[in-house]
Amino acid sequence: MDKILFLTVIVLSIFGLFMIYSSSSIWADYKFHDSFHYVKYQGLFFLVGFFVMIFISKIPYQFYYRYSNIILGFSFVLLILVLIPGIGSIRNGSRSWFGIGSFGIQPSEAAKISLIIFTSKYLSSSEDYIQSFWKGLFPILGVVLLFFGLIMLQPDLGTGMILFISIIAILFIAGADFRFFLGGGFLGIIGVIILIVIAPYRMQRITSFIDPWKDALGTGFQIIQSLYAIGPGGLLGTGYLNSIQKHFYLPEPQTDFIFSIIAEEFGVVGALFVATLFIILFYRGIVIANRTEEVFSKYLAFGILFQIIFQAIMNLMVVVGLIPVTGVTLPFLSYGGSSLLVSMASIGILLNISRNHS
Amino acid sequence: MFVGEIDKRIRILFLILLVPFILIILRVFYIQVFQYKKLNSYARDLWSRDLELEADRGKILDRNGVVLADNLTTTSLILIPNQIKNKEKVTKELASILGISFSDMKKHVYRKTSIERVHPEGRRLSYEIAEKIQKLGFDGVYLVKEAKRYYPYKDLLSHTLGYVGIDNQGLSGLELQYDAYLTGKNGAIQYFSDAHGNRLQMSDVYIAPVAGMNVNLTIDIEIQKSIEREMDNIVDMFRPDMALALVVNPKTGEILGMSSTPDFDPNQYQKYDSATLSRNLPIWASYEPGSTFKVVTMASAVEEKVVDIFKDRFYDAGKVNVDGSVLKCWKAGGHGDQTFLEVLQNSCNPGFVRLGQLLGKERLFSYIDRFGFGEKTGIDLNGEGQGIIFPLNRVGNVELATSAFGQGPSVTPIQQVMAVSAVVNGGYLYQPYVVKSISDHTNSVVKEYSKVLKRKVISSETSAIMRIALEHVVAKGGGKSAYIEGYRIGGKTGTAQKQENGTYLVNNYIMSFMAVVPSNDPEAVFYLAIDNPKNTAMLSSYTTTPIARRILLDIIEALHIPKQEGEVEKDLEWNDKVMYEVPNVVGKDFAEAKKNLVNFKIITEGEGNTVFEQSPKGGEKLEDGSSIRLFLK
């Protein structure tokens, strides 16, 4: 088992707990009269996630190969169910949750993993598929677009994009023809244009990240509040618990914008720390993917790893104002029980792959 | 596809995805280093709430540092609605303390703002009300100090000082003109708050208010008080339409005192009409000067050497005919044969007609211009008038003749005073000014104003002759009632008929007196005018000069003017007391002292035969029969 990967995930998650406490305590006290409200839930999920990760790391990954279709079907059903009012509940404008009390489960998290498992199996089952558009790529893209479409109905563009790009990345390492990517890129641009036409607010989001002050109280609001955290923090930060922006200025700072608070309290040092942990995680994942000899486990390890890293990059780039706001969380660090659970479970799969081949 | 190719592609993607991580770190570095200043100041604006601390307005002081416009500290109520917990209760309590309705108070307490001033009910609170509010001890309810303008001498110098509005903004007079200097820089207690407006537990920043700058005037409070007192007396005695007084240092143009009536109390300026508030008569009023203007005519004549006032003689038959117009002297039958010095003493109009004719209109009117008539003096006050002088092409023989004795030109008091100052100070026409300097709250001078010479009008020789001539007017002529024993005082009376729509009004005069003290080395030029006094003789020498004399005595004391030698002796009138100089008898024996003191009553103190002390001392002048106290041993 890859101990460095394991430790990196533990360090990230525990650092996450500390930062969730710092960034959420004010909100928690205001909403629940308990400044530990969020960190208690996250801590509980971390404990559960920890054992889930250990448990899953002991399940041979061939299990997923065998049951990939069932897993995919199960998550498909969940994605349909969550759209039905009364079953799925709306949080932050998206009908993307199964709410049980204050616990929530996002089926799209499970959909990402199951789709990666499905794609890995499909591509590894025949060498020919990757070379043939109609036999190989078309069915996969069909399934992916189906899932993407369901997620966009919630709507949750960020998760949809991560899911989509992760599958594309697997296709790339599997050796798909470059013409395919050119065509795909073209289609992607058309898709983006269609999405913007359907919902013009997306265009505003794109322009507002270039100059957030243009619409400081609307689309630029979040990024401005994020910059007001990062900037005044300075190179060394204001120190743990000393963030000012968490005092109701930055909305829900423990979720999407937790990195702002990290940069505010720990400066560029904190940013480097977080980035380094993700790069170590990434690197260890790459090592695992390279060392494993089966093609299925290579695809699976890389796919799992890629979607975590890609999500992290998207979140961080939003927070520092490099790309428009997409609404994705920072894996292991942002508050969110089901997200942490799924991330740790995914790492469990990676750990199992490393166990079998090192 | 070979497994090796897959591994290679995985590594390529790893390297590609390292790029965004590097970008992110560089971006954080960029934000925290290069955008730090901008974002930090924006964010501080967002976080900080200012509890404004009002700066004291600068004071206005007289030349010796006596405060004429001061500040009283009062208390005002300020609310921070977000910090108020029980709004209902706070509204109720405050409404009852302030005596306003619940709904009026509610507007303030419930307003969605970071800081709410309860205006105007919560401004300028009395001590009792402030204490009651303090005792409630509510969160979000603050009492802050505010300064209110206060004029301790009430209507003293009111037109010049002006007044301020409720926010201490200058509205008129010096308060308005020097508002930028007088206004301080407000300070603040700056604290960080969360987005809901609650105060964060971080150290507050205290930005001390910087008091406004002080404006130091050329005014001398003692002189000012004196003329204000006499203004009141004039109102009581004569019920005039207007009255005004002006005292200037002729050597610099500094205004030592200026006042007019009607005036107002700037503490309660709202109670007065706008004419009263705005008309600073000594610089605004414009009227025919009358005989005081003769000083200008005579100075011009002397300068042009058309006459030797001590030798050349003039016969006054009581009237003179100019182009068919008969111009009468004020004295029926005329003054007969007299020198031109006596023409001035007697204020003889036909004599001045002669001087005007000797000069001709070009020369006389060029001097009128050069003495500053017809143009603003440029005093550093708003609302100055400029008077009207005939354009030369409209001056005929009659206009020349009447202008020579002060009828026709319309002039302001400040123009006259500056012109007479030039006549007596050696010939220098200065620009008058009332602001001496501006100093900051630590009393260090940041700006100083000094005399501004406009031009030299006459020679110092002419000026010396005019000083003697004016002294004669007081000692022997129409200014006699202003004579002060031991001091050399020059002066000239004036009685000008008022015009309305081109015709002279009957029994409606402006009576005036211009004085110079001491006339050998003038320290002050003083002008007094009473517009349409009732219950008095229609001659300025009886109305203005006794009042002028009292003011002159105060000027002498305020400016510490020493007694002078060699004055022109006053002509005695039947009711004048004879004055004798007290001889020095200290050290003499009693019998001899007695012989020297025949004109005085002697009171002795102590026993003995030798005088070791006397009171008053030798050299002073006392009336015939006054008491002298001798100390014997």
Side-chain angles (χ1 to χ4, degrees):
Chain A
M1 196 179 82
D2 195 320
K3 280 183 189 140
I4 298 174
L5 178 64
F6 179 77
L7 280 175
T8 307
V9 167
I10 299 299
V11 170
L12 263 177
S13 304
I14 289 176
F15 183 61
L17 287 177
F18 276 99
M19 290 317 298
I20 284 166
Y21 173 68
S22 173
S23 52
S24 74
S25 56
I26 304 295
W27 274 100
D29 186 53
Y30 177 68
K31 272 175 132 169
F32 305 104
H33 303 290
D34 173 13
S35 53
F36 289 94
H37 178 89
Y38 291 105
V39 76
K40 276 197 286 199
Y41 277 103
Q42 187 77 359
L44 193 63
F45 271 100
F46 172 66
L47 282 179
V48 173
F50 181 79
F51 290 112
V52 166
M53 180 168 72
I54 304 269
F55 176 73
I56 287 186
S57 75
K58 296 192 191 297
I59 299 173
Y61 62 85
Q62 290 83 1
F63 173 84
Y64 314 110
Y65 186 87
R66 195 172 308 147
Y67 296 107
S68 69
N69 291 347
I70 294 170
I71 295 169
L72 188 71
F74 184 66
S75 59
F76 180 72
V77 171
L78 289 181
L79 276 181
I80 303 261
L81 285 178
V82 82
L83 292 171
I84 299 167
I87 301 174
S89 54
I90 295 177
R91 289 194 190 174
N92 300 329
S94 295
R95 191 178 293 281
S96 61
W97 297 81
F98 291 120
I100 308 157
S102 51
F103 287 89
I105 288 170
Q106 275 187 300
S108 53
E109 298 279 357
K112 283 191 293 191
I113 292 290
S114 54
L115 206 57
I116 287 165
I117 293 170
F118 173 78
T119 307
S120 304
K121 181 194 171 181
Y122 193 83
L123 290 177
S124 61
S125 56
S126 169
E127 284 271 330
D128 301 336
Y129 286 165
I130 195 71
Q131 301 304 336
S132 154
F133 180 76
W134 291 110
K135 272 191 212 160
L137 301 180
F138 183 71
I140 289 176
L141 285 177
V143 174
V144 168
L145 285 174
L146 181 66
F147 274 64
F148 180 74
L150 285 173
I151 291 171
M152 287 311 292
L153 285 175
Q154 297 178 350
D156 185 350
L157 177 68
T159 308
M161 272 177 66
I162 291 164
L163 179 138
F164 192 80
I165 303 285
S166 301
I167 301 305
I168 299 289
I170 295 174
L171 293 177
F172 171 75
I173 61 155
D177 200 314
F178 273 103
R179 278 175 300 175
F180 163 72
F181 293 105
L182 287 176
F186 181 69
L187 285 175
I189 290 168
I190 290 175
V192 167
I193 291 169
I194 290 169
L195 286 174
I196 289 169
V197 170
I198 293 170
Y201 74 88
R202 295 199 176 101
M203 189 67 206
Q204 269 186 336
R205 278 198 179 178
I206 292 169
T207 50
S208 76
F209 98 93
I210 296 165
D211 181 11
W213 277 272
K214 242 186 214 162
D215 186 13
L217 293 175
T219 50
F221 182 75
Q222 283 181 308
I223 185 64
I224 287 174
Q225 297 306 323
S226 176
L227 292 177
Y228 283 174
I230 301 170
L235 276 183
L236 299 173
T238 55
Y240 186 57
L241 297 180
N242 290 340
S243 158
I244 296 175
Q245 277 295 86
K246 68 186 179 190
H247 288 90
F248 310 114
Y249 288 107
L250 194 57
E252 307 247 0
Q254 70 275 21
T255 59
D256 296 5
F257 285 89
I258 196 165
F259 186 71
S260 313
I261 306 295
I262 294 172
E264 185 181 3
E265 294 190 350
F266 296 109
V268 87
V269 182
L272 253 170
F273 178 66
V274 170
T276 306
L277 285 174
F278 275 109
I279 290 169
I280 292 172
L281 189 150
F282 195 14
Y283 178 72
R284 290 316 301 173
I286 296 296
V287 169
I288 291 166
N290 274 348
R291 280 189 191 160
T292 186
E293 272 147 31
E294 268 185 75
V295 177
F296 169 69
S297 54
K298 265 191 204 300
Y299 294 160
L300 183 59
F302 176 79
I304 287 169
L305 187 66
F306 183 89
Q307 60 96 7
I308 290 173
I309 294 301
F310 188 72
Q311 183 174 340
I313 287 171
M314 265 178 76
N315 173 276
L316 296 178
M317 288 178 89
V318 165
V319 167
V320 300
L322 285 172
I323 56 169
V325 175
T326 47
V328 298
T329 57
L330 186 57
F332 303 109
L333 291 165
S334 287
Y335 174 75
S338 70
S339 167
L340 181 65
L341 205 59
V342 172
S343 297
M344 291 184 91
S346 317
I347 296 297
I349 297 174
L350 268 180
L351 289 174
N352 181 263
I353 295 171
S354 76
R355 194 193 292 272
N356 282 281
H357 291 278
S358 53
Chain B
M1 184 141 174
F2 298 113
V3 168
E5 181 64 18
I6 297 174
D7 288 345
K8 197 179 138 199
R9 285 198 174 199
I10 288 176
R11 286 196 291 271
I12 288 171
L13 270 187
F14 173 71
L15 292 177
I16 290 173
L17 287 188
L18 281 183
V19 175
F21 277 111
I22 293 165
L23 282 177
I24 288 159
I25 295 301
L26 289 177
R27 173 75 176 159
V28 170
F29 187 81
Y30 175 77
I31 294 171
Q32 293 188 329
V33 174
F34 294 99
Q35 292 194 306
Y36 174 81
K37 231 175 153 178
K38 180 182 117 185
L39 289 171
N40 198 42
S41 86
Y42 283 5
R44 271 174 180 273
D45 286 349
L46 177 71
W47 300 332
S48 64
R49 301 284 187 279
D50 286 357
L51 207 57
E52 199 165 72
L53 300 173
E54 198 175 62
D56 272 356
R57 190 172 172 81
K59 293 172 183 170
I60 303 179
L61 307 104
D62 94 326
R63 63 186 302 120
N64 298 315
V66 178
V67 180
L68 304 177
D70 206 343
N71 300 302
L72 279 184
T73 306
T74 62
T75 307
S76 288
L77 176 62
I78 278 180
L79 304 176
I80 299 185
N82 277 314
Q83 297 180 1
I84 299 175
K85 290 187 178 115
N86 188 342
K87 294 201 176 182
E88 177 92 15
K89 188 170 177 227
V90 169
T91 308
K92 216 171 115 189
E93 298 271 1
L94 288 180
S96 85
I97 291 173
L98 294 175
I100 59 174
S101 75
F102 182 82
S103 60
D104 282 349
M105 195 65 225
K106 197 174 170 180
K107 279 180 210 149
H108 295 297
V109 175
Y110 286 79
R111 185 158 291 163
K112 295 237 174 303
T113 177
S114 55
I115 294 172
E116 170 72 359
R117 274 172 194 274
V118 183
H119 178 87
E121 303 91 343
R123 307 282 301 272
R124 319 246 185 268
L125 297 174
S126 74
Y127 178 74
E128 292 74 33
I129 287 183
E131 201 188 16
K132 272 187 201 165
I133 294 173
Q134 188 80 59
K135 270 187 187 157
L136 294 176
F138 288 133
D139 286 340
V141 175
Y142 295 90
L143 291 166
V144 296
K145 296 270 175 257
E146 279 191 324
K148 182 191 177 191
R149 201 56 153 174
Y150 172 62
Y151 303 90
Y153 295 97
K154 298 195 170 66
D155 56 0
L156 180 131
L157 201 66
S158 52
H159 283 112
T160 303
L161 294 177
Y163 47 89
V164 299
I166 185 141
D167 292 317
N168 276 346
Q169 75 281 27
L171 292 181
S172 139
L174 292 171
E175 295 277 23
L176 175 63
Q177 278 176 266
Y178 290 84
D179 201 35
Y181 288 110
L182 289 165
T183 304
K185 206 163 170 265
N186 286 351
I189 295 173
Q190 202 176 55
Y191 63 90
F192 282 165
S193 84
D194 66 24
H196 294 167
N198 301 304
R199 198 182 186 121
L200 293 180
Q201 295 301 321
M202 288 177 210
S203 55
D204 300 336
V205 182
Y206 175 78
I207 303 166
V210 181
M213 299 201 184
N214 293 336
V215 172
N216 305 298
L217 304 184
T218 58
I219 300 291
D220 185 308
I221 183 88
E222 295 306 325
I223 294 174
Q224 185 68 26
K225 273 184 189 165
S226 169
I227 60 180
E228 300 275 357
R229 181 195 69 223
E230 295 306 328
M231 283 293 116
D232 292 345
N233 284 339
I234 288 166
V235 170
D236 287 347
M237 286 161 64
F238 305 125
R239 305 263 154 230
D241 293 352
M242 299 184 294
L244 62 93
L246 187 52
V247 183
V248 169
N249 179 347
K251 290 171 179 169
T252 58
E254 290 168 288
I255 308 283
L256 298 172
M258 66 191 297
S259 178
S260 59
T261 183
D263 62 2
F264 63 92
D265 177 357
N267 293 307
Q268 310 171 18
Y269 69 92
Q270 303 93 332
K271 293 183 177 172
Y272 301 84
D273 64 77
S274 68
T276 302
L277 289 175
S278 63
R279 289 176 188 169
N280 194 2
L281 298 179
I283 62 169
W284 178 81
S286 174
Y287 50 85
E288 287 189 3
S291 303
T292 49
F293 200 66
K294 288 169 180 165
V295 178
V296 171
T297 307
M298 181 157 277
S300 312
V302 173
E303 176 71 6
E304 288 297 313
K305 297 187 170 55
V306 297
V307 68
D308 180 336
I309 62 165
F310 301 108
K311 288 183 186 145
D312 292 342
R313 305 190 76 80
F314 174 76
Y315 183 83
D316 170 31
K319 60 189 172 193
V320 58
N321 188 320
V322 179
D323 290 358
S325 298
V326 176
L327 304 174
K328 286 185 187 165
C329 189
W330 61 272
K331 188 175 176 185
H335 292 95
D337 180 54
Q338 49 193 337
T339 63
F340 275 95
L341 178 61
E342 286 163 332
V343 165
L344 183 67
Q345 274 169 223
N346 297 330
S347 199
C348 171
N349 287 351
F352 279 90
V353 172
R354 167 65 58 80
L355 287 179
Q357 287 163 343
L358 287 170
L359 281 164
K361 69 173 185 178
E362 281 80 11
R363 281 196 285 182
L364 177 61
F365 275 77
S366 117
Y367 276 100
I368 289 172
D369 285 349
R370 289 180 53 72
F371 272 113
F373 295 103
E375 64 176 23
K376 290 187 178 181
T377 62
I379 189 170
D380 49 351
L381 289 173
N382 285 332
E384 193 188 355
Q386 71 177 52
I388 303 163
I389 303 296
F390 294 123
L392 205 55
N393 56 17
R394 282 185 45 210
V395 178
N397 289 333
V398 178
E399 286 78 13
L400 171 63
T402 59
S403 295
F405 59 81
Q407 260 183 28
S410 177
V411 305
T412 64
I414 188 73
Q415 283 171 343
Q416 287 196 70
V417 169
M418 296 323 293
V420 170
S421 294
V423 167
V424 299
N425 71 7
Y428 302 95
L429 183 70
Y430 289 111
Q431 182 171 304
Y433 63 104
V434 72
V435 176
K436 195 178 175 60
S437 66
I438 289 167
S439 53
D440 66 18
H441 61 282
T442 62
N443 271 334
S444 57
V445 173
V446 293
K447 194 164 182 178
E448 196 152 21
Y449 298 90
S450 51
K451 61 180 178 187
V452 176
L453 176 67
K454 294 170 90 172
R455 55 189 162 264
K456 190 158 181 0
V457 183
I458 54 170
S459 68
S460 40
E461 292 75 25
T462 304
S463 180
I465 293 168
M466 288 307 297
R467 290 199 292 268
I468 294 168
L470 288 171
E471 194 180 340
H472 272 84
V473 175
V474 171
K476 299 178 186 298
K480 250 185 254 177
S481 320
Y483 185 82
I484 296 169
E485 190 72 35
Y487 291 93
R488 301 180 63 170
I489 291 169
K492 182 73 197 83
T493 56
T495 304
Q497 229 172 329
K498 277 163 73 181
Q499 260 192 30
E500 207 171 80
N501 306 323
T503 53
Y504 285 100
L505 301 171
V506 180
N507 282 342
N508 193 337
Y509 299 92
I510 293 176
M511 301 201 173
S512 59
F513 185 66
M514 180 76 74
V516 178
V517 59
S519 62
N520 54 328
D521 181 23
E523 298 282 345
V525 170
F526 160 58
Y527 177 77
L528 172 69
I530 305 171
D531 180 4
N532 193 17
K534 321 292 190 297
N535 323 315
T536 180
M538 287 301 140
L539 216 52
S540 185
S541 30
Y542 296 109
T543 308
T544 58
T545 41
I547 296 163
R549 185 177 190 273
R550 291 200 289 272
I551 295 174
L552 286 169
L553 278 169
D554 290 330
I555 292 173
I556 286 166
E557 196 182 323
L559 299 182
H560 309 295
I561 296 173
K563 290 193 168 187
Q564 284 89 31
E565 301 284 322
E567 73 258 39
V568 178
E569 292 290 342
K570 187 185 178 187
D571 280 0
L572 295 183
E573 289 177 22
W574 66 269
N575 59 348
D576 277 345
K577 296 269 167 42
V578 179
M579 308 289 280
Y580 290 103
E581 190 173 318
V582 179
N584 187 358
V585 296
V586 174
K588 296 185 171 150
D589 64 40
F590 184 58
E592 197 188 341
K594 227 171 154 182
K595 240 187 272 170
N596 290 338
L597 296 171
V598 282
N599 293 316
F600 303 100
K601 209 159 83 191
I602 293 169
I603 300 166
T604 58
E605 298 270 349
E607 300 289 325
N609 207 26
T610 316
V611 179
F612 75 92
E613 187 62 89
Q614 72 177 76
S615 172
K617 296 203 180 334
E620 298 220 14
K621 287 194 171 174
L622 287 182
E623 275 177 22
D624 191 13
S626 301
S627 302
I628 302 280
R629 202 174 288 266
L630 297 181
F631 299 86
L632 303 175
K633 68 174 180 188

